[in-house]
Structures are given as C-alpha cells and as structure tokens.
Amino acid sequence: MKTVDNKKTIIFDLDGTLLDSIEDIAISMNKVLESLNLQTHSIEDYKYFVGGGVDVLVENALGNQTNQIKDEVIKRFKVEYDGKMHSKTLPYEGIYELLDELKKLDCNLAVLSNKPHEFTVTYVNHFFKDYGFKEIHGQKQSLPKKPNPKAAIDIAQALNTPCENIFFVGDTKVDMQTAKNAGMIAIGVLWGFRDEQELSEFGADFIVKTPLEIVDIISNK
C-alpha cells in the first residue's frame, strides 16, 4: 500500500486561470466564422462561450446551426488554432510569482483543462516548463470533460493525494463544479473570464483577486 503524499497539491485550470488566451481564441474562431460567412462575436462574448471545450465553444458561437456546419467549424477551428504559440496568449500578471512561491513550498502542481489535450500540453510545456507540473491533462476522447470529476480524481490518484487535501483553482462555474464533484477545495479567481457571483453560486470555498492570495490560502490549511 502506497504512503499518502502529504505535499500541498494544486490543480489549475488553464485558460482564464493561468493563461490569458481569450483574444487568440476569439480571433481564431472569428476567422473561421468569417470564412463560412457566419456571424462573428466580440471578445466579451467569448468569455462566456469558453470553459466547456471546443464543441461547447462552437455551439455557443454558432447558436442554431446544423450539425454539419458545427462539425465543419470544429474542424476548421482546430486547424486554425493548431497548438502553435499565439502572439497574444500570455500568463496573467502574478502567475509566475505564484508558481515561484509554490515551487519553494515544494507543492505538487497539475493542470486540468477542457482545451484539447495536445494544445494543453503544448502551452504548459512552453510557458511553465520550469515549474515541474506533474500531471497535465486536457480534453481527451477517453475521458468525460469537466465538470465530471473523473479526470480530477485520476490526478489525485496519480499523485497519491486524498481529494479532500487538493486545491482546485479555476475561473468559471465549470471549475467550481469540478472541485465540488471531486470533493476538492475550490478556489475561484477573479482575473479570468467570469465574475464573483458565478464563482460563489457554484461552490467556491475561496475567491481571490490576485494570484499570491492563493499562497496564503494553502499555507493556512
């Protein structure tokens, strides 16, 4: 029987939590919509379209369209947003300072995103390669998406850490629901795509305005 790992463990969402990627997502999707003579949307709109994976993003952007058109948009979006480093996607202010502090504390770090898995791995390895993320998981065909807790629980098992000792950090109701469904501690962040009301309504145990507040929370638990 394995010994339980008593290190502090934090699972981060990616888009809207670690990375400010909304402009590049919007530009890529609008380019696809324009190519099909479909209505485009503002960056503010996209803040409410994202969080559920590519299929939900497309569903939100298209509204009432045929499955054939939706499938075509998904295909074209994945080509347009193909995992290359987009120029406007960067870590939020204070994220590197947060990760520096968590590294000093020798925390287990993981990422769980509804962004396609290959894109998630590419972005984490590009921006955060120095921080030793032990588990990096994006959307995979073999696993249900957040807010289903399966992938989060799999990460807990891989790190040999009880779910109730894990902090799950995200910016949307999907992340708060995932944390609650997995029996983890939910930390909602206000620099991402949604507001305090949404995070509170869907179960945030803590809500933070700046990244370094997360260090105080985990240090005092």
Side-chain angles (χ1 to χ4, degrees), residues 28-201:
S28 297
M29 182 57 76
N30 279 342
K31 190 170 179 181
V32 171
L33 296 175
E34 283 176 358
S35 74
L36 293 166
N37 295 314
L38 296 168
Q39 180 185 348
T40 59
H41 305 278
S42 70
I43 289 173
E44 283 302 309
D45 289 335
Y46 280 101
K47 289 182 179 180
Y48 290 88
F49 291 172
V50 298
V54 173
D55 52 342
V56 175
L57 167 63
V58 169
E59 183 89 26
N60 288 334
L62 286 180
N64 189 24
Q65 293 286 351
T66 66
N67 287 335
Q68 184 178 358
I69 291 175
K70 289 174 183 175
D71 290 344
E72 181 64 21
V73 171
I74 289 171
K75 184 175 75 174
R76 292 193 188 194
F77 177 76
K78 286 183 174 180
V79 171
E80 183 64 35
Y81 193 91
D82 66 355
K84 61 181 179 291
M85 292 299 110
H86 291 276
S87 60
K88 297 182 185 298
T89 295
L90 292 168
Y92 285 98
E93 183 178 348
I95 290 298
Y96 283 136
E97 291 81 357
L98 166 63
L99 295 177
D100 285 338
E101 292 302 312
L102 296 180
K103 191 174 180 179
K104 288 177 191 173
L105 294 171
D106 195 27
C107 296
N108 290 323
L109 302 179
V111 165
L112 177 57
S113 174
N114 277 342
K115 184 191 280 297
H117 181 68
E118 63 273 20
F119 296 171
T120 300
V121 171
T122 296
Y123 275 88
V124 174
N125 286 341
H126 177 77
F127 286 108
F128 308 118
K129 64 182 184 299
D130 297 330
Y131 292 99
F133 277 83
K134 293 187 174 180
E135 297 287 324
I136 304 169
H137 297 271
Q139 181 186 345
K140 306 170 191 170
Q141 292 288 73
S142 59
L143 283 174
K145 295 181 300 182
K146 298 182 296 185
N148 187 293
K150 177 71 167 67
I153 293 168
D154 285 351
I155 290 172
Q157 291 174 343
L159 296 175
N160 200 32
T161 304
C163 287
E164 60 268 23
N165 293 346
I166 294 178
F167 299 88
F168 196 107
V169 182
D171 68 304
T172 72
K173 65 183 182 183
V174 170
D175 299 310
M176 301 303 98
Q177 289 171 314
T178 305
K180 296 291 98 177
N181 292 341
M184 297 176 179
I185 303 161
I187 301 178
V189 308
L190 292 179
W191 56 81
F193 302 155
R194 305 292 171 79
D195 59 20
E196 186 168 0
Q197 181 179 345
E198 176 174 311
L199 297 170
S200 295
E201 284 181 0

